[in-house]
Amino acid sequence: MARNGFRLIDAEMHVMEPTDLWQRYIDPEFKDRAPRRLSERKWDIRTLVEGEIMAQIPGGDWPALSAAEETAMAERYAEEIARDFDPESQVKAMDKEGLDLAILYPTAGMYATAFTHMDPRFAAAVCRAYNNWLYDYIRAADPKRLFGAACVSPHDIAGAVAETRRAVLELGMKAIFLRPNIYNDKPWHDRYYDPLWAACQELNVPVGFHETTGSRMKAAGTDRFQALGIAHISTHPMEQMLACMDIIMGGVMERFPKLRVAFLEAQCGWLPFWLDRMDEHYEWREPYGEMTHLSAKPSEYFRRQGFCACECDEEFVGHVVAAVGDDNIVTTTDYPHGDSKYPKAMDRFLALPLSDKSKQKILWDNAVRLYAL
């Protein structure tokens, strides 16, 4: 499509699932327990899962209640709402932004298995249902321009591996989606998860970590704030920083040197500081035998295997490029969420103080490498 001379990939576009997705797609055994959206208002993503209202902090508020915000959302997404966020509306949204390609991540689906502990068979069924729906959705939209990130449940690692293989080999998914929070009381570098990393490495698909606020998992800031709009400031970047540290310092990238990992929708301004701090601690502790499981500096692992998404209007990205380089950054519209800058997200990115070479890498080249497109 070549907007302003650039080809554009949205490395983390979202879908707005239909309210009856799981009722229609889940295995009959679990139909009575299927997650369900609570409102017909398409921008209200509150979802009931196992008796819990997701996208709402227990005892806290839900931000989209004011008349002003509801009106703003209804106006901004009027065409998409009128079409019930159907497959054609996704393509039309891409055209408005000038996007050539997009990788689709969930909205309500990000909450559907968001418990530290959960019935593994039910969680697996929830993921299968979402992936089957997404496959149909992409086929009805444009499978040459849209690609899926599959949901897998870490509550049973054998099931997660099986669903990853099915999603990639049978459904054509280009990534798997995971939350950065801690499942099963185990950090991501626990050997329990190694079969999943091995499968992703073998299948040549990346892991896309993506946080949401208002789940039933521990998230930075939700122990102090119940207002979702405030907690959101900390949950996204801080949980991604911890996941990044977990994957690198725990030796996952050492053990799986071809595994690609993306830390999405958390800005990228933290990246130079965090890599530098990990490097500094590596240099401090390596002489004392604490880093024998790593053969390189943490920043070297990230440059080899890691990716981070910058916001479309994140001016600080220029400093990140100066400090870290432009080979490991992608960007996104975050359509169709409330904090998205749609329909002018890509115009905002193109106005950032970056060289054309860096813009080309962030808008296209890096996402091609990340998702092996």
Side-chain angles (χ1 to χ4, degrees), residues 15-16 25 85-90 104 132-142 146:
V15 292
M16 190 67 79
Y25 277 84
F85 288 95
D86 67 357
E88 186 175 343
S89 72
Q90 195 86 27
L104 299 183
N132 289 340
W133 169 80
L134 183 60
Y135 172 76
D136 289 344
Y137 185 86
I138 289 173
R139 282 200 306 169
D142 188 344
L146 295 164

Side-chain angles (χ1 to χ4, degrees), residues 120-342:
R121 293 184 63 251
F122 173 62
V126 168
C127 292
R128 283 195 303 273
Y130 172 83
N131 295 336
N132 289 340
W133 169 80
L134 183 60
Y135 172 76
D136 289 344
Y137 185 86
I138 289 173
R139 282 200 306 169
D142 188 344
K144 293 182 179 180
R145 294 179 65 188
L146 295 164
F147 305 95
C151 283
V152 300
S153 167
H155 294 289
D156 172 56
I157 204 62
V161 170
E163 183 60 12
T164 297
R165 291 188 177 281
R166 185 186 79 92
V168 174
L169 298 176
E170 297 181 22
L171 305 182
M173 301 296 179
K174 293 294 185 180
I176 66 166
F177 150 75
L178 293 173
R179 300 179 61 93
N181 322 82
I182 297 297
Y183 288 85
N184 312 306
D185 298 318
K186 299 179 188 296
W188 288 113
H189 68 266
D190 192 289
R191 297 284 182 151
Y192 170 80
Y193 294 112
D194 277 6
L196 182 58
W197 312 140
C200 289
Q201 179 172 260
E202 176 194 337
L203 294 166
N204 195 31
V205 293
V207 176
F209 281 107
H210 193 304
E211 170 68 327
T212 61
T213 310
S215 76
R216 292 304 171 270
M217 309 187 77
K218 290 181 180 179
T222 57
D223 58 335
R224 306 173 198 192
F225 291 97
Q226 289 186 319
L228 190 148
I230 297 176
H232 187 275
I233 296 169
S234 61
T235 53
H236 284 57
M238 292 182 183
E239 286 299 324
Q240 292 286 34
M241 290 169 73
L242 291 170
C244 181
M245 182 179 74
D246 194 344
I247 293 291
I248 294 175
M249 301 306 297
V252 174
M253 289 183 175
E254 167 71 23
R255 299 197 298 275
F256 301 96
K258 294 184 179 180
L259 175 69
R260 299 184 303 282
V261 184
F263 305 95
L264 304 168
E265 200 177 316
Q267 298 186 295
C268 67
W270 52 269
L271 189 62
F273 152 72
W274 204 231
L275 295 180
D276 184 69
R277 184 164 175 81
M278 285 191 277
D279 281 354
E280 189 274 333
H281 280 68
Y282 174 85
E283 292 167 2
W284 169 35
R285 304 306 298 174
E286 194 274 335
Y288 305 118
E290 195 173 325
M291 298 292 168
T292 56
H293 63 297
L294 302 179
S295 61
K297 293 167 60 175
S299 61
E300 294 174 11
Y301 290 110
F302 185 87
R303 285 185 170 89
R304 186 179 73 188
Q305 298 170 248
F307 294 81
C308 190
C310 72
E311 299 298 305
C312 68
D313 53 355
E314 188 178 354
E315 292 192 10
F316 201 78
V317 67
H319 300 285
V320 176
V321 168
V324 179
D326 55 12
D327 292 327
N328 304 83
I329 303 172
V330 295
T331 194
T332 174
T333 63
D334 195 33
Y335 168 93
H337 294 168
D339 53 345
S340 169
K341 305 306 186 296
Y342 174 82

Side-chain angles (χ1 to χ4, degrees), residues 351-371:
L352 290 175
L354 292 168
S355 70
D356 284 354
K357 181 180 179 181
S358 291
K359 288 177 182 177
Q360 176 182 318
K361 286 185 176 183
I362 295 170
L363 288 167
W364 186 269
D365 299 348
N366 298 343
V368 168
R369 285 192 297 113
L370 171 60
Y371 294 108

